Amino acid sequence: MQELEYEEIQGIILSGYVKKRFAAYSLLRIRSRAGAQSYLRWLEARLTTGDQRPEDVCHNVAITATGLRALGLGEETLATFPRELVEGMAGTAKRSEILGDTGASAPEQWLWGGPGNQVDVLLMVFAHRPDQLDHALQEHRRRQQDGLEEVYFRSTEMLPERREHFGFADGITQPQIKETGRHLTGIECLRAGEFILGYENEYGKVPFSPSVAEDPRANRLLHTNGQNGRRDLGRNGSYLVVRRIRMLLTEWRKLDVAARERVIGRRLDTGAPLGSRNETDPVVLSARDEEGEPLIPENAHVRLASPENNLGARMFRRGYSYDQGWRDDGVRDAGLLFMAWQGDPATGFIPVQRSLADQGDALNRYIRHEGSALFAVPAAREGRYLGQDLIEG
Ligand code: HEM
């Protein structure tokens, strides 16, 4: 099995940084190419990679297609990225329809990521203590001054027992990467290529990766990618979907415990799949009660989101709860900053979100999508941000 190149893989792909409870997400728009390039050069030296375990603060970054363009990446290279990334999460009416981004969740209503409201760069900072987070953010803001403006900022704190605002433990079915050798009982182990570019996936294939034509500079910096005349730009990178999902807590509170459990398909107290005893018991979709009714309802969230219902679609999910109190119009403003990492959005987030929309996820009545973007998560190559030498010449 291939060894992971930990020193080039951004740490957040491999770890949820569970000991760093305080996190901040800053969505930025590029105002000046030179200023943004200079900030990313500074940031590159601080990126936390898979081989590091900083005691205090971790820094990670991701860039959308508009961001890559604004930084100067050429169209010929951009065209080698997945279509979903190039077009953007809200890039076509068809995609919005497929993903259920319509009505109250339509991109026109989004706080960011919708038409005319693009985001280019996502900065993620995680800290052990709030003062460390604040200190780090002040430094970032100073460095961003000349090239970037903040579109949206959210600081979050991990809720106790991994619970989200609806009271359920989240992140139970989180796969592990086989190549890390960290195998926990009852946790599914998958090949790195499901999540990280440049490695074999569960089918023994190395998924498509963005590439550039060979030339002396590219040849010096990048590996071959198995295609004639191309060099691999994506290796050790990944793709990240971010969604701001507001949770309709007032409506949710009207449900009794049994109804809440039917919406998700798991027990509130133990986290076990309905009909099972323990949190780590497998979700058996075929299980039925004495009357022959499915134990996990047909429209339960875990059924419709499961790999079994989505041609094996896998992703690392990391939800970060936020709570903004009440909006001016009296509506409760709390929810989940949903994040999903995958090696290919077309076989990861997209089919799952499509199923949740199409097949009528019971959760849909209780949530609103209020912002979204699809990011490339670049490898951390020492001394250079994604394709820096190729962009800057
Ligand atoms: C506010 C919105 C959401 C909430 C409150 C929520 C909550 C949950 C909970 C409580 C679980 C069960 C625990 C676990 O397996 O980790 C779960 C599972 C899951 N959710 Fe969500 N979720 C939300 C949005 C989404 C979205 C947008 C997606 C992807 C498009 C998604 C994909 C999944 C997947 C893949 C699973 C695991 C299914 C399985 O294999 O059993 N969720 N979610």
Side-chain angles (χ1 to χ4, degrees), residues 164 166 168-173 245 247 264 266 283 301-302 305-307 315 317 336 338 349 352-353 356 363 367:
E164 33 75 345
F166 287 161
F168 286 89
D170 199 3
I172 298 171
T173 39
I245 308 179
M247 297 162 75
I264 296 291
R266 282 185 177 267
V283 179
H301 180 66
V302 297
S306 69
M315 55 187 127
R317 282 175 300 125
L336 194 69
F338 171 90
F349 172 83
V352 178
Q353 179 57 33
L356 298 182
L363 196 58
I367 57 177

Side-chain angles (χ1 to χ4, degrees), residues 10-17 48 60 124 126 318 320 341 377:
Q10 291 203 51
I12 182 68
I13 304 173
L14 298 169
S15 155
Y17 300 138
T48 306
N60 288 117
M124 297 163 264
F126 306 83
R318 304 225 170 88
Y320 298 92
W341 273 259
V377 186

